Amino acid sequence: MAEACPEMRLLIQADVDGELAPAEAARIGAHVAACPGCAALQARLLVLSGRLRDELPYHTAPETLRLAVRARVAAAAPVTTARPAVPWWRLLRLSWTAPGLGFAAGFALAAGLLLVLPRGDAGLLSDSVVAGHLRALQPGHLTDVVSSDQHTVRPWFAGRLDYAPPVKDLAAAGFPLIGGRLDDLTGRPVAALVYRSGPHVIDLFVWPDAARPDQDPVAGSHLGYNVLRWRRGGMAFWAVSDLNAQELAGFARLWQEGADMP
């Protein structure tokens, strides 16, 4: 019997108990669908959870105990009084007097950062690519064209996009192509190439970016997913996966070294 992935055991338990956020639950669902060991673990946990719920006796606390607990909680609760809101200008004026000078400096610095450091393009794109990846992990949304042949996937985008995305075959290196789809990032349609590494799905978003120079891979993470972005030959590439950061970096390196399809 296949073993469950060690790093997924606690997450699967939390998913069975209903403790995960929707995005994380979707990620676990996609992983379990492709991993026999984790699927078997999830099935065992679901059976165990059902048996515990159905077979163990359930005792209701007597009313006297409930009243006693409520009384103790009420007695221990601190008494607080609402404070009137202080206008920001008064905080700023008062803080310039010692010992509030340090607070004033911090207040001014924070306000300045809020004014001059809005969330950048990279941050917005990171949000968007992870959101696109999560949408794709829902059943029936991963691919629009299913094929391991780059000669099938690349022509499929013709007429659907105003550019031809480069497509590479990395199956020999352990990253088989399984298809592609159209996706939407910040309001524009882009190509999404879908690869696998064992039970892990890798989405590679590709679009033209001829105005900016080539850039080596830059790593990041968002909502528990690893993200890697780079630019080559007038194209932008964003890879996202629950694959660990080191293996995703290996995927990016192989992509850059591999030959384009003719």
Side-chain angles (χ1 to χ4, degrees), residues 219-254:
S221 64
H222 185 59
L223 294 178
Y225 291 85
N226 287 310
V227 179
L228 204 60
R229 57 186 170 93
W230 70 93
R231 289 192 298 272
R232 282 291 184 276
M235 305 293 286
F237 301 88
W238 283 68
V240 56
S241 178
D242 63 349
L243 195 64
N244 68 64
Q246 183 177 0
E247 291 180 282
L248 189 61
F251 168 81
R253 183 180 64 255
L254 289 166

Side-chain angles (χ1 to χ4, degrees), residues 88-97:
W88 67 267
W89 51 266
R90 175 170 287 186
L91 285 175
L92 188 59
R93 184 181 67 183
L94 294 176
S95 63
W96 284 109
T97 62

Side-chain angles (χ1 to χ4, degrees), residues 99-148:
L101 191 58
F103 170 81
F107 181 90
L109 177 61
L113 288 173
L114 288 173
L115 291 174
V116 303
L117 293 180
R119 188 165 175 80
D121 291 344
L124 294 175
L125 274 173
S126 182
D127 293 345
S128 191
V129 298
V130 172
H133 185 64
L134 287 172
R135 287 194 305 270
L137 293 178
Q138 304 305 308
H141 291 77
L142 189 59
T143 55
D144 293 330
V145 54
V146 180
S147 178
S148 60

Side-chain angles (χ1 to χ4, degrees), residues 153-154 157-158 161 163-167 191-193 206-207 235 237 255 261:
V153 174
R154 186 180 186 185
F157 288 103
L161 292 172
Y163 63 94
V167 182
L193 308 177
V206 186
W207 66 89
M235 305 293 286
F237 301 88
W255 174 272
M261 65 162 284

Side-chain angles (χ1 to χ4, degrees), residues 54-65:
D54 297 338
E55 297 178 11
L56 289 182
Y58 179 81
H59 300 283
T60 303
E63 188 62 24
T64 53
L65 177 59

